[in-house]
Amino acid sequence: MPLPLEKHYTLADALTWDEQDRIELIYGDPVMMAPPTRAHQKAVSEFNRQLGNYLDGKKCEVYPSPFAVRPFECDGDYPENVDTMVEPDITVVCDPSKLDDIGCKGAPDLVMEILSPSTSRHDRFVKFNLYQRAGIREYWIVDPTDKSVQVFLLENGYYVAKDFGTVEDHLKVNILEDCTIDLSKVFPE
């Protein structure tokens, strides 16, 4: 069913939508998400595998999308008051109190977005600013077309470019001690 226009949507609305519809809420505005490409899903799977292997037996947890992140939600907020819900391609949460049956309540520690033609501008600008404002400590922007990754770290409330990698590199996950990602496996030739 199409969404009516000119309405401010909330998590309460989103919880009634069909689970197969991939829709994010950005400050009350619904954003439809196109089905991901095979290269996109390959990258998501490999990041999830490498992070999952590293995190096995540790406190932090990794979740691939679809996984609902409500970065501004606080304890005591009702679904009717939450107007932002996103589904990062990869989410790492190190505070178990932020996890609930819906997903992550509050800012996770790390998010990764794998760009696609339909999401590139949205991920580079809208989500970049949203994640920065929410206080997400580390943000990776992954470009499967260029086989590259940009890493941003939150410093004094603003993202600072920390690293850049391509297919032959191992990139450090800054929020996790001694964790690196082998990009040759994320971007196979």
Side-chain angles (χ1 to χ4, degrees):
M1 170 181 3
L3 297 170
L5 299 176
E6 307 289 328
K7 179 179 180 207
H8 184 89
Y9 290 91
T10 67
L11 178 60
D13 297 310
L15 293 174
T16 68
W17 297 338
D18 188 328
E19 286 183 24
Q20 293 184 352
D21 292 334
R22 296 200 52 220
I23 303 170
E24 294 184 321
L25 285 176
I26 309 290
Y27 307 116
D29 293 326
V31 177
M32 299 292 288
M33 298 167 54
T37 64
R38 188 177 65 81
H40 179 281
Q41 290 305 91
K42 172 83 173 144
V44 168
S45 295
E46 185 58 29
F47 278 118
N48 190 59
R49 186 190 68 76
Q50 289 188 47
L51 286 166
N53 287 343
Y54 172 83
L55 292 173
D56 187 34
K58 295 179 174 70
K59 172 178 100 165
C60 300
E61 296 182 34
V62 60
Y63 295 92
S65 89
F67 180 73
V69 172
R70 294 105 58 209
F72 304 111
E73 184 175 343
C74 300
D75 284 336
D77 283 349
Y78 293 101
E80 298 80 19
N81 304 115
V82 177
D83 69 356
T84 299
M85 179 193 70
V86 292
E87 291 184 357
D89 292 311
I90 295 289
T91 303
V92 174
V93 181
C94 295
D95 179 353
S97 72
K98 291 183 176 183
L99 297 170
D100 61 18
D101 289 341
I102 299 170
C104 179
K105 175 182 58 184
D109 297 274
L110 164 71
V111 294
M112 297 179 174
E113 294 288 359
I114 288 83
L115 303 179
S116 61
S118 66
T119 67
S120 182
R121 181 170 172 73
H122 185 70
D123 292 340
R124 287 188 186 276
F125 297 103
V126 174
K127 283 190 168 180
F128 181 97
N129 288 316
L130 185 145
Y131 294 157
Q132 179 176 261
R133 181 173 168 247
I136 296 171
R137 298 185 318 167
E138 189 166 350
Y139 180 31
W140 288 34
I141 298 176
V142 181
D143 189 336
T145 302
D146 292 342
K147 297 184 178 185
S148 66
V149 177
Q150 293 175 285
V151 178
F152 297 92
L153 284 182
L154 196 67
E155 293 181 9
N156 300 316
Y158 295 96
Y159 279 136
V160 174
K162 176 68 174 173
D163 212 344
F164 179 84
T166 60
V167 69
E168 60 273 345
D169 295 321
H170 286 73
L171 280 184
K172 178 173 179 19
V173 179
N174 296 276
I175 64 152
L176 302 172
E177 185 177 334
D178 298 325
C179 179
T180 60
I181 300 294
D182 180 353
L183 295 182
S184 71
K185 293 182 178 174
V186 173
F187 306 121
E189 295 298 324

